[in-house]
Amino acid sequence: LVPDYVPLPSYLDSPVDPAIPHYYYVSGVSYFFLPGNSTPRIVESLPSDLALTQTGKVILSVRPARGSPGQRIKINLAIENATGVSGDGMQLRVDYDAAKLTPWAQVQPDGETVLFTGLSRNLEFTDNGASASGELVIDGTGGAMEPGSGKFFTLQFEVADGLPKKTTLPVTISSATMRDLSGIPLTVEILPQDPSEVGDGFIPGDLDGDGLLSNTDKHLLQDLMKPKSRPPTADEITAGDLNGDGKLDQKDLVLLLKLLNSP
């Protein structure tokens, strides 16, 4: 890829085509002088495993949640590869069942339907939560995403009264338009997801489902993170995926420890 050494901990590969897979591997180079030798001996490590990346592409999804009838439910929109995403010109259209879900801005006069997250905290945007009826539209007007993957926006709804348990609460991203910081359109892939449903809500971080946040949840998360552990259940992912990237890993453990240590 490069004919010379890269002495910095990062490398910007600029002449790449958007939305086309690119494969990279990295090796480390060191050198040392042997006694009486003015020419250094150069040693290169074995190459790393291949890493796959695609420029100019983001992946969006809706993370499933559970909520009780007549209560507020929070549903996370997630994003992968948020690096270099502009708020200017961004638009997300989210379909929901208006017979089952009511945007929170229509429930509480000062309520918000769309909440920003750590990744989207610098975005400027508006939404039609106060008037939406089956389609929530989020329009970006400025700012930029923080780099990373995880929760993009958190959507707040009220679940309709009288719905039986296991009733599905479909919330889907119908379309999305996004641009990079230079104004170039990005390729957006929207992943299919299991729908949210009516049921007992989760306490964030309560992996064992006992209604309490304790060291038992921490130990369970640590066990599920091990390479040879059993696959986590859907409930464990919903409760333990605190950063919203769809998996249980070290980032979730850091957030769980913060919850355990908070007053």
Side-chain angles (χ1 to χ4, degrees), residues 1 22 28 35 46 60 67-68 118 120 134 143 150 153 211 220 222 234 246 253 260:
L1 182 64
H22 292 78
L46 293 174
L60 302 180
S68 302
S120 58
F153 287 114
L220 178 55
Q222 289 173 324
L253 181 60
L260 287 170

Side-chain angles (χ1 to χ4, degrees), residues 35 43 94 103 108 110 118 126-127 145 151-152 167 181 192 200 214 233 250 258 262:
V43 178
V94 181
Q108 298 288 340
D110 58 347
T126 60
D127 66 82
M145 293 282 294
K151 297 177 185 177
F152 186 7
T167 300
L181 297 178
D200 297 327
S214 66
T233 66
Q250 187 68 32
K258 288 183 178 180
S262 62

Side-chain angles (χ1 to χ4, degrees), residues 52 88 96 98 117 156 172 215 261:
L52 167 66
D88 190 23
Y96 64 93
T117 66
Q156 300 192 117
T172 58
N215 283 326
N261 295 326

